[in-house]
Structures are given as structure tokens and as C-alpha cells.
Amino acid sequence: MAERKKYKRVLLKLSGEALKGNSDYGICPDTINDIARQIAEVKATGIEMCLVIGGGNIFRGIAGATKGMDRSNADYMGMLATIMNAIAMQDALEKIGVHTRILSAIEVKEVCEPYIRRRAVRHLEKGRVVIFAGGTGNPYFTTDTAACLRAMEADCEVILKATNVEGVYDSDPRKNKDAKFFEKLSYLDVLNQGLKVMDATAVSLCMDNELPMIVFNLKKDGNIKKVIMGEKVGTVVG
Ligand code: GTP
């Protein structure tokens, strides 16, 4: 009997750092191939899937700005980094037979398609994994905000936010062994308590548009699939 998944269409948000594995920066081939394998497994259930990948493994706009760069210039470099990560993920996915399309908010026509909402939806309906690249195309917005925006535009039911820990805690569980884990939170809790889930712009956007988010540990093999099957994994924010 076919497995019953909870969702029809989801957006998976990966940080750029998720691709670097144990390296200090860049893309670790084993890590990206492993994430691609997990995505392929999930895709095989018939779910429609979008991806947003950050760029922090290559360049972080905010970090550039704190070192004296103009913030807009630094953010544009970060957005270009997300396009490189998208191409790497497309390569890893297509090698294992998952059809993908990259749609970028910044036009780089020679390497990927421009972002056109209706086209993205059509690609999803045709079973392709759609990778949204180039952030929102605007400086001062994070790739988390881009993920929320694209999830809403593409009518996704949920954002799956991949992290290195089990979900949301009241303090960093890697530094504080008594950190309290939350199974469920409202967006207002996240904002009021200053919990580090996503930046406030992204959180407000989800709150205003009632888009739920599940924060979960990407490093546990099979977790993406568990989340889409509706198993209790991570922290639900909504
Ligand atoms: P359908 O029209 O639904 O069949 O989608 P499709 O993406 O297969 O058709 P299309 O003919 O638009 O694209 C064929 C290939 O060209 C796909 O791999 C697209 O990602 C790619 N492609 C389409 N538009 C662009 C573009 O503007 N730039 C780049 N670099 N590739 C593009």
C-alpha cells in the first residue's frame, strides 16, 4: 500500500552551511549528495517540493557588511552565492534522476530560468523539484524571508526549516545542556521571546499569512521523510 503523506506541496529551506559538511566553507560533495538522496526519497512519495538554499557557506552578506562593505553590495554577493548552491544541488539531484528547475530572482539567463511564479507552479505540477535561487532579489532580505515568500506564492502548505539541532530551544543546546526544547510554538512566542528560528521579517510574514513551519534536524537520516509523513519531529511553529 502506498505510504500516506501528510502534505501535497512543501518548501524545504536549507542553510548554505548545511552543504559545507565538516569543511569551513564551500560545498562538501558527500554532504550534498546525501541531502539529495534524502530529497529523492521524499520526492518518490509523490510530494511536490520546492527548495530554498542559503548562501552562507560561500558568502554572508551581513558578515561582509560588518567588515565595512556596503550592505547592499554584500547582500547581492550573498544572493549570487545562493545561485551557485542551487546549481550544485541541481547537479546532485539530477545525477540520481530527480528532475529539477532553478528559478532565480536575479536573472542569469545562461544558467537558470528567471523567477516567474506561474512557471514555478507548473513545474511543480509536472513533478519537478523547483529550486528558488537569488533570494528575493533584494538586499536587506534574508533567504529565510525568500523561503517564506516563495512558499506562499507557490501555495505550499508548510515550510520545513532544516537545522543542526532537534528543533527550537530557549537557548543554544550546543552550549547549554539544560536548554528547554519546544514541541510547539506560536509565531508570536518566537517574536516575543526572541527565539532564533528565523529573522523577524520572515516570522512576521508567516504569521500574517498563517503559514506553518516545522524546524527539524537535517542531520538525522530520514527526518525529511518523517516530517512529510506527519510524524512528530522537531518543533512546529504556527
Ligand atoms: P515545460 O514547458 O513545462 O515542458 O517546461 P520545461 O522547463 O521543460 O520547458 P522549457 O522548454 O521552458 O525548458 C527546457 C529547459 O531549458 C529546462 O531545463 C529549463 O530549465 C531550461 N530553461 C528554460 N528557460 C530558461 C532560461 O531562461 N535560462 C536557462 N538557462 N534555461 C532555461
Side-chain angles (χ1 to χ4, degrees):
M1 203 173 78
E3 292 172 288
R4 287 174 70 89
K5 55 191 182 306
K6 184 169 178 191
Y7 304 105
K8 186 170 178 292
R9 185 178 292 169
V10 301
L11 185 143
L12 174 64
K13 165 71 192 0
L14 303 171
S15 68
E17 279 87 354
L19 308 187
K20 72 179 168 63
N22 293 325
S23 320
D24 291 337
Y25 67 94
I27 297 164
C28 163
D30 288 345
T31 304
I32 198 165
N33 288 336
D34 188 59
I35 298 173
R37 177 190 51 77
Q38 288 198 56
I39 292 172
E41 245 173 62
V42 169
K43 197 67 202 63
T45 66
I47 198 157
E48 293 175 3
M49 193 155 190
C50 321
L51 286 179
V52 169
I53 311 170
N57 54 324
I58 300 171
F59 191 83
R60 291 194 76 81
I62 294 180
T66 55
K67 289 184 184 137
M69 267 189 94
D70 176 83
R71 171 74 192 264
S72 300
N73 287 337
D75 279 349
Y76 278 117
M77 286 178 70
M79 287 182 245
L80 293 175
T82 70
I83 302 176
M84 293 211 266
N85 282 337
I87 297 169
M89 182 56 82
Q90 176 169 56
D91 184 83
L93 284 168
E94 296 208 328
K95 272 202 197 109
I96 53 173
V98 180
H99 296 290
T100 67
R101 296 288 185 269
I102 302 173
L103 273 62
S104 173
I106 295 179
E107 273 201 39
V108 198
K109 269 204 229 131
E110 288 74 11
V111 289
C112 56
E113 296 178 43
Y115 173 69
I116 297 168
R117 188 187 72 85
R118 293 175 66 112
R119 200 160 183 186
V121 170
R122 196 77 190 107
H123 284 320
L124 288 167
E125 287 166 355
K126 289 189 175 178
R128 297 157 183 158
V129 170
V130 172
I131 309 175
F132 294 116
T136 64
N138 300 291
Y140 294 94
F141 290 95
T142 61
T143 47
D144 278 343
T145 302
C148 300
L149 176 66
R150 296 297 184 238
M152 283 178 287
E153 287 185 281
D155 265 334
C156 293
E157 296 153 273
V158 66
I159 298 188
L160 313 179
K161 157 108 176 156
T163 66
N164 294 328
V165 291
E166 292 311 306
V168 185
Y169 293 79
D170 65 350
S171 59
D172 187 344
R174 287 164 302 186
K175 292 182 187 150
N176 174 13
K177 68 175 174 42
D178 297 322
K180 182 178 164 227
F181 175 77
F182 298 108
E183 274 186 15
K184 203 168 175 355
L185 285 166
S186 70
Y187 279 112
L188 217 48
D189 294 332
V190 173
L191 288 174
N192 288 340
Q193 297 178 42
L195 299 171
K196 304 230 169 342
V197 180
M198 282 190 171
D199 60 284
T201 312
V203 171
S204 314
L205 198 58
C206 289
M207 183 170 73
D208 290 350
N209 295 282
E210 295 176 12
L211 179 70
M213 181 191 309
I214 301 174
V215 185
F216 72 101
N217 189 351
L218 180 70
K219 292 206 163 160
K220 275 208 182 135
D221 199 6
N223 253 2
I224 309 177
K225 188 159 179 191
K226 281 189 186 157
V227 175
I228 68 141
M229 289 301 169
E231 284 184 42
K232 218 165 138 189
V233 174
T235 302
V236 180
V237 188

